[in-house]
Amino acid sequence: MSIKKISVNNLGPITQGEVEFGDLTLFMGPQATGKSILLQHFKLLNDYKYIYKYLLSKGFSLKTEDEFLQGYLGENMNKVWNKNTQFTYTEHNKSAQNQFSIKSDITGKQIRISKDTGRSICFYIPAQRVLIYDPDGWVKDFGGYPFSYPFVIKEFSELIRQYITTDDKGDLFPKRNLKGEIKDLIDKNLFRGARLKKERIAGLKNRLVLDLKQESGTIPFVSWSAGQREFIPLMLGLYYLLPAARSEKLKDVDYVIIEELEMGLHPDAITAVMFAIFELVQRGYKVIISTHSAHVVEIVWAVKNLLKSANGSFVKGFAEIFSQNSTNGTIKDIANKLQLNKKSFNVYFFNPEDGGINIDDISSLDTLDEKTAGWGGISAASAKINDIVSRY
Amino acid sequence: MDIEKILGVSFESGKHGIKGEHRSKINGNIKKSLDFDRTFNRGNDNPWDYLLESNDAYPFVEVHPAKSGGNLDEVFSKLKWMRDWIIKHKNYKELRKEKSRFIWLHTGGFNIQYTPRDPKVRALSSAKIKFPPQGVVDCDRLEYFTLQQILNI
């Protein structure tokens, strides 16, 4: 099942909203407005058979709605559903709206379990990704977390652990999964020549280290910069999605969800990561990002604007955003595919006005329209500062 | 379709539609010009000063101070007014296809403190308006776009 549109009423703090997913979709809004809850439910909708099977295999009791919701969302998060919660969805290439509920689709139904039950089509990179490191600097497995933690962090951690455990192709950064231009931008803005490696501690156990090529030896994760600690799990997630082999994308994965992409990153590093995001989009993934970063929205706004230009101008503008030369083959390839394949960019604002949270479609990001010019409150603070400086 | 027919008004030849004190600020091959503000302002309206014909395009020019954030608000309002006016125009479908630019020429220098993240500054960039504004313009050196593209209409 691949979902193109969802509609929710009374889910956690969300009063009501309708979201149609584009090739790149942004969720914006202040803290605690339900962005993460909705993203986790979007994954649930797409992957519930897989999630059910996974949780069962890890020893969770899933007999009631409350048990299932706590197993999936985390301790006490079952309360985001109440008697007035409604959740509907429309699949790609279909027009029917279908109801979804935990009871009728999961716990009240006998989901048959076999080795092929359910595939995960949503790859979820959670906001708490910095939690994946164990005290030695390796990556925790699913069972390395308390029962009360959300499924999405445990699943992400497990997938990354498996990836780096089986990867035996040299350093973890730089690596050829990333195109040279993206790799160079990431190196310039995040690693500054350092290499990410696996290192054996006392011949017993692996850990992740940065090798600065200095005589002082390698640097364990506790001494990395905050930005590096936040970014490395995200980068490993990108490796997972960008196989170095011939295939463009992972066959099973349609959606990539990234919470708070900007965490710990300087705007130049955000630009580098956004370059990789457009690479994911042109490869055919549909990417959903929640963000508080004006810079992320600025890049999407710029690309949306430039897409209206003739192809030559679009390629030049796109290249300049990422400080690249427009004659470069990789840039041309990514830009051409974005424009020729008419990739869509949708933006939603979790609007806390009117006593609840409504989800507003602000995809136009139209700066001349009052409803969209504030970019979901992200610009309001700057406008206020300008106004104060202009008055006093 | 000819711009005079689309708008139902006659332009003046060369720079004759531009006030004398502003003519030296507008350079390049100006075939025709119209005092747009005088022609379409019914009192409380907010149009740009001039509409020109130059190099098969129709740039709008606003000669406006750039001394404070208030001036930025004013030009932003004028841009919004222009977009509404174009959208409501009876020949909107033809008009939006014409090539154009919006040009803000400052009077007496630029002195606005601003952060680039202000949505009004973004609105100007989105409409391809050079900001900070300039003192003079050479219409022969401008790249032109359709009004549809400039104003997202």
Side-chain angles (χ1 to χ4, degrees):
Chain A
M1 186 156 77
S2 179
I3 313 293
K4 76 167 178 205
K5 198 169 170 181
I6 55 174
S7 174
V8 288
N9 291 83
N10 304 307
L11 178 71
I14 303 167
T15 309
Q16 67 86 30
E18 198 173 274
V19 175
E20 182 156 357
F21 295 91
D23 293 293
L24 177 60
T25 304
L26 296 188
F27 279 7
M28 287 146 59
Q31 267 83 21
T33 48
K35 299 184 295 298
S36 184
I37 287 170
L38 194 62
L39 288 172
Q40 288 179 75
H41 276 81
F42 182 68
K43 177 173 170 71
L44 178 62
L45 203 52
N46 282 286
D47 291 350
Y48 67 86
K49 286 183 184 167
Y50 157 85
I51 292 165
Y52 182 81
K53 179 182 164 186
Y54 207 120
L55 287 172
L56 269 187
S57 75
K58 299 293 177 189
F60 282 78
S61 170
L62 305 174
K63 292 197 181 77
T64 66
E65 290 162 87
D66 284 343
E67 282 179 355
F68 180 82
L69 282 168
Q70 292 200 79
Y72 177 61
L73 296 173
E75 191 173 358
N76 281 332
M77 290 300 288
N78 52 318
K79 297 184 178 78
V80 299
W81 277 72
N82 61 54
K83 63 181 183 350
N84 297 319
T85 300
Q86 284 203 326
F87 205 106
T88 63
Y89 65 92
T90 309
E91 292 178 61
H92 279 287
N93 306 318
K94 291 185 185 168
S95 55
Q97 261 204 340
N98 308 289
Q99 291 280 346
F100 175 81
S101 81
I102 307 300
K103 191 171 182 184
S104 61
D105 289 283
I106 306 174
T107 53
K109 205 173 170 181
Q110 288 225 309
I111 296 176
R112 284 184 53 205
I113 304 292
S114 71
K115 77 174 170 37
D116 299 322
T117 302
R119 292 175 301 128
S120 172
I121 68 164
C122 283
F123 183 72
Y124 201 113
I125 305 181
Q128 313 93 319
R129 50 191 170 268
V130 75
L131 297 177
I132 71 169
Y133 305 104
D134 72 14
D136 291 324
W138 190 238
V139 175
K140 288 186 266 194
D141 62 19
F142 193 99
Y145 293 84
F147 259 57
S148 56
Y149 275 42
F151 175 86
V152 290
I153 174 67
K154 294 188 281 195
E155 182 209 28
F156 174 70
S157 193
E158 174 64 32
L159 291 173
I160 295 304
R161 187 194 63 78
Q162 286 174 18
Y163 176 80
I164 59 171
T165 303
T166 52
D167 179 80
D168 55 0
K169 298 179 191 73
D171 295 342
L172 287 164
F173 186 86
K175 206 169 197 45
R176 64 192 175 96
N177 298 48
L178 296 174
K179 285 187 171 144
E181 294 76 6
I182 299 173
K183 199 159 50 189
D184 291 347
L185 264 188
I186 287 174
D187 186 29
K188 187 175 153 200
N189 292 297
L190 280 142
F191 287 98
R192 304 188 187 283
R195 305 177 83 82
L196 179 67
K197 292 181 162 181
K198 293 190 269 187
E199 184 181 76
R200 274 230 181 276
I201 323 166
L204 295 170
K205 190 180 178 237
N206 277 324
R207 66 173 180 174
L208 296 174
V209 291
L210 283 174
D211 184 352
L212 303 181
K213 295 274 171 218
Q214 289 167 355
E215 289 181 0
S216 51
T218 56
I219 309 289
F221 92 106
V222 286
S223 302
W224 300 348
S225 77
Q228 286 169 334
R229 271 201 300 269
E230 293 279 0
F231 174 71
I232 283 170
L234 172 58
M235 182 189 71
L236 295 172
L238 295 176
Y239 284 171
Y240 181 85
L241 295 162
L242 299 170
R246 276 159 230 95
S247 55
E248 281 280 287
K249 67 186 270 290
L250 296 176
K251 197 165 101 294
D252 284 350
V253 177
D254 289 339
Y255 281 101
V256 178
I257 296 169
I258 305 175
E259 287 187 321
E260 303 194 24
L261 167 138
E262 69 276 5
M263 262 192 311
L265 302 181
H266 181 275
D268 288 343
I270 293 175
T271 302
V273 178
M274 285 304 289
F275 193 16
I277 297 301
F278 285 109
E279 162 75 349
L280 290 178
V281 170
Q282 73 85 12
R283 284 194 186 211
Y285 290 110
K286 290 184 189 304
V287 182
I288 309 167
I289 297 171
S290 69
T291 184
H292 299 293
S293 161
H295 192 57
V296 168
V297 192
E298 263 167 358
I299 290 175
V300 172
W301 169 72
V303 172
K304 269 177 86 80
N305 264 281
L306 292 168
L307 274 169
K308 293 180 218 147
S309 307
N311 181 257
S313 302
F314 174 66
V315 175
K316 277 187 198 162
F318 186 79
E320 280 184 35
I321 291 173
F322 301 108
S323 309
Q324 302 290 315
N325 191 322
S326 60
T327 56
N328 173 295
T330 302
I331 282 286
K332 269 178 148 166
D333 187 45
I334 296 176
N336 283 334
K337 282 184 182 159
L338 290 176
Q339 196 171 39
L340 294 175
N341 296 331
K342 295 189 168 44
K343 295 294 184 184
S344 56
F345 303 90
N346 296 352
V347 186
Y348 291 90
F349 171 37
F350 288 59
N351 188 348
E353 283 177 0
D354 307 328
I357 310 292
N358 291 308
I359 306 173
D360 297 343
D361 182 354
I362 57 164
S363 299
S364 73
L365 295 176
D366 186 344
T367 43
L368 288 171
D369 181 342
E370 273 169 29
K371 289 195 196 90
T372 53
W375 290 3
I378 257 174
S379 301
S382 299
K384 185 180 167 191
I385 297 293
N386 274 353
D387 182 52
I388 292 166
V389 172
S390 75
R391 282 188 292 118
Y392 300 105
Chain B
M1 201 167 156
D2 182 71
I3 191 75
E4 293 181 318
K5 278 191 188 152
I6 292 174
L7 298 181
V9 292
S10 295
F11 281 47
E12 296 187 56
S13 64
K15 292 190 190 177
H16 285 95
I18 304 168
K19 284 181 186 136
E21 71 261 33
H22 295 156
R23 282 182 199 163
S24 63
K25 295 169 90 53
I26 300 167
N27 299 320
N29 175 25
I30 311 297
K31 202 168 159 191
K32 286 189 257 183
S33 54
L34 176 72
D35 189 329
F36 192 84
D37 185 36
R38 202 180 61 201
T39 310
F40 291 107
N41 194 340
R42 291 160 304 177
N44 294 319
D45 295 324
N46 220 355
W48 283 50
D49 288 333
Y50 305 112
L51 175 58
L52 316 174
E53 181 177 336
S54 176
N55 302 300
D56 297 325
Y58 303 98
F60 290 89
V61 177
E62 172 67 20
V63 184
H64 203 92
K67 297 279 190 195
S68 72
N71 296 141
L72 174 62
D73 293 352
E74 287 150 16
V75 174
F76 173 75
S77 300
K78 280 174 174 285
L79 181 65
K80 273 175 52 162
W81 188 92
M82 287 302 303
R83 178 160 86 161
D84 291 345
W85 185 84
I86 289 166
I87 289 170
K88 285 179 196 147
H89 197 277
K90 63 179 180 175
N91 292 327
Y92 162 68
K93 283 185 181 162
E94 285 79 26
L95 196 49
R96 73 208 275 256
K97 288 182 202 151
E98 296 296 348
K99 290 198 159 184
S100 186
R101 277 301 279 267
F102 286 90
I103 300 148
W104 173 5
L105 297 178
H106 64 63
T107 51
F110 170 73
N111 189 25
I112 300 175
Q113 298 294 322
Y114 68 99
T115 90
R117 292 207 192 279
D118 187 328
K120 292 188 204 81
V121 174
R122 277 201 205 103
L124 300 192
S125 311
S126 181
K128 305 194 184 299
I129 296 171
K130 236 183 209 289
F131 187 82
Q134 53 208 325
V136 291
V137 64
D138 181 348
C139 293
D140 295 349
R141 297 172 70 95
L142 291 174
E143 195 181 343
Y144 293 100
F145 302 88
T146 63
L147 281 166
Q148 179 180 10
Q149 196 179 345
I150 292 172
L151 295 173
N152 198 22
I153 52 181

